[in-house]
Amino acid sequence: MSQTPKHSADAPVPTSTDVARLAGVSRATVSYVLNNTSAVRISEPTRRRVREAAEELGYVPHAAARSLRAGHSRMVLLPTAHVPVGPLYSRFLNEVQWALRALDYTVVQYGSLGLGADEAARAWAELRPVAVLSLGEIGLTPHGVRVLKRSGAKAVITLGPQRVEGAHALVMDQRAVGSAAAAHLLERGRRAIGVVVPAEPGLDLFSRPRLAGVRKAVARGGADARVEPLTMAYDEESAARLAADWRGLGLDAVYAYNDEYAQLLMRALQDAGVDVPGECAVVGADDLLLGKLLRPRLSTVHIELPTGREIAELVDRVVREPDGDVERHDLMAAHAVARESS
Amino acid sequence: MSQTPKHSADAPVPTSTDVARLAGVSRATVSYVLNNTSAVRISEPTRRRVREAAEELGYVPHAAARSLRAGHSRMVLLPTAHVPVGPLYSRFLNEVQWALRALDYTVVQYGSLGLGADEAARAWAELRPVAVLSLGEIGLTPHGVRVLKRSGAKAVITLGPQRVEGAHALVMDQRAVGSAAAAHLLERGRRAIGVVVPAEPGLDLFSRPRLAGVRKAVARGGADARVEPLTMAYDEESAARLAADWRGLGLDAVYAYNDEYAQLLMRALQDAGVDVPGECAVVGADDLLLGKLLRPRLSTVHIELPTGREIAELVDRVVREPDGDVERHDLMAAHAVARESS
DNA sequence: TTGAAAGCGGTACCAT
DNA sequence: ATGGTACCGCTTTCAA
């Protein structure tokens, strides 16, 4: 059980010099062999000796030294969100990583929880990533973008609700989500629409445009309709409090930000004796599995994200051609999925 | 498509040499000033000039160069799971990152999706992290651990269901979860216990020990009781299929891996006309909020994870004292939370 | 076919 | 109080 530390503390890390010495060649040759440099012909016996030496020593090249010499790296840095995001989002994030690695990038997530936006940008810049891809919540300011570009980042790309000056923007207009929800509710004849706005900080980057989307749809679609923002935290107490006062609000529908908040609120409403959908329609968003499991089944807004491959290819394109003006909007399609709660 | 690079497309990245030149001092002085080196006294006017020059150029030090020179880094690498994990887990992961950064480590997540275990270890080793902290699903083999240690990692720590030779292990015995669930069910008089085993690959590292825990508790507690493993995927069809055959299985209880699977299965059972808990008790795990929202309210197993700070401090300790024999077990406390579904 | 050597961006020792 | 310089590990001309 208790292992005696072998050569633990200070076995020096093998370098290409060690490999060269063991193989009886120069460091240059080691480099040629291990990188399969095509411009140089090395005899097969030599190659074998080098490979065996590397293997025997457990040699692993030093990425920092390599990229220092090369003057660039292939690291793509993904700042990770400050807020726990939903399953929809994390699946997407996984896809993007996978696709980037398929393009031979080294993908690294950097959790900047607790750092200010510019502090964070500076920390990222120290790593000299070739690209920074900010998904979702944007921890980037125009100044941060400048710092990153100055430090050699070829691509600084944001994918989210709003654009940041200097960065390539993939604008996913979250208003479409709110609009889809509201249009659906109006069509169902609802006229007084509550909109849940999560109390959790950081989510407002999504919730505000979604609310705006509701307002837009209502302004366009229903002259006699009204919109009522409702702050709610993701916990039972907050939902219960909201539900307790429900009748006083005079609402006949609620768009609850996403499916998880919708589940929470719907339960609270039911517990308070409010009939769903009779008295009040409920719509979520994200089209999670859980919506189908609820009773009544939860109406939702299905969101169509770009695929990970598309994003990865965009990153690659911008890295190769940093001056192309890439700004695209409305990458996000949203449509209502009517089920039983509305 | 010939692009005319407008300006600054490839303005060279400022180095400490540039700062030195602009400030009219040597690179050494720049280094002293910017690092507040206490062993050396630099006059205040000089300090100011250096700082202003750095500011003006937007100078950001090159982490790779620094750690190359220093011979070590303060990077902690967190391999990210191959499987989407629950909210419980991601909260924990965030905590750990935060705590590590408070100890002045640079935390980096490395998504190794699609890499073999040893391939991944090698990729991590290239970054020369001072520590690797593998949470949850373990993508580490004894060989991978050796590679990492050889490459200079002072700490290779696994926190999960099983230990890996050579690594410091924080063994969280998942059997405790299954045992708690089973003990609870036996106590309630149940005798034929189904155990949901997720079909999703990668989750078996958790599900198998949990199943084993159920078996252990049953063997100890109920001579006349039996255990029935039930494979189920996280989708409606799979759950419906299982529920359709339910009566043929002759079970009066089910431990459904975790709350999310439990929700899915409970819904399917109810839809199939199986009364919960009358005909069949259902228990989940993780004690998520959603359990309280279901009807009947979902009984669950509450899992007590170590805090992020504890983990971070352990990492730090091992980094400073790599030879200390750190292997701890049962960091995970689990106890049943009886609600209405059992 | 292979080797010697320069240099990437910092840091720290040793002079001055 | 500062500057000169060697060196970290690796790649890549240029010579031999």
Side-chain angles (χ1 to χ4, degrees), chain A residues 238-286:
Chain A
S238 183
R241 216 176 310 127
L242 184 55
D245 304 333
W246 196 257
R247 296 228 162 78
L249 293 166
L251 301 171
D252 61 7
V254 60
Y255 159 59
Y257 180 64
N258 74 8
D259 288 351
E260 291 176 318
Y261 282 79
Q263 173 185 28
L264 182 56
L265 178 57
M266 191 160 82
R267 166 53 56 205
L269 288 174
Q270 288 173 327
D271 287 350
V274 177
D275 180 51
V276 177
E279 217 173 330
C280 177
V282 177
V283 175
D286 283 4

Side-chain angles (χ1 to χ4, degrees), chain A residues 97 106-108, chain B residues 77-80 108-112 115 123-124 127:
Chain A
Q97 285 193 62
T106 296
V107 182
V108 151
Chain B
L77 189 145
L78 304 190
T80 55
V108 152
Q109 280 173 265
Y110 196 107
S112 317
L115 260 50
W124 306 339
L127 299 179

Side-chain angles (χ1 to χ4, degrees), chain A residues 140-182:
Chain A
L140 265 179
T141 63
H143 177 254
V145 175
R146 244 176 287 131
V147 168
L148 286 166
K149 293 225 165 146
R150 281 238 154 173
S151 78
K154 297 290 184 206
V156 178
I157 301 180
T158 60
L159 192 155
Q162 62 184 27
R163 58 160 309 164
V164 175
E165 194 186 319
H168 290 257
L170 264 52
V171 181
M172 303 202 312
D173 193 347
Q174 297 284 333
R175 284 177 305 181
V177 179
S179 291

Side-chain angles (χ1 to χ4, degrees), chain A residues 199-221:
Chain A
E200 281 70 21
L203 250 39
D204 54 333
L205 223 84
F206 294 84
S207 62
R208 261 182 302 146
R210 288 184 182 190
L211 172 58
V214 172
R215 288 216 156 95
K216 201 173 67 176
V218 165
R220 196 168 39 210

Side-chain angles (χ1 to χ4, degrees), chain B residues 208-269:
Chain B
R208 262 183 301 146
R210 287 183 183 191
L211 172 58
V214 172
R215 289 215 156 96
K216 203 173 67 177
V218 166
R220 196 169 38 210
D224 55 333
R226 73 176 232 265
V227 175
E228 183 78 33
L230 307 165
T231 300
M232 184 183 106
Y234 191 62
D235 59 59
E236 276 187 295
E237 294 69 34
S238 181
R241 216 176 309 127
L242 184 56
D245 305 333
W246 196 259
R247 294 229 163 78
L249 293 167
L251 302 172
D252 60 8
V254 60
Y255 159 59
Y257 179 64
N258 75 7
D259 288 351
E260 292 176 318
Y261 282 80
Q263 174 186 25
L264 182 56
L265 178 58
M266 191 161 80
R267 167 52 57 203
L269 287 174

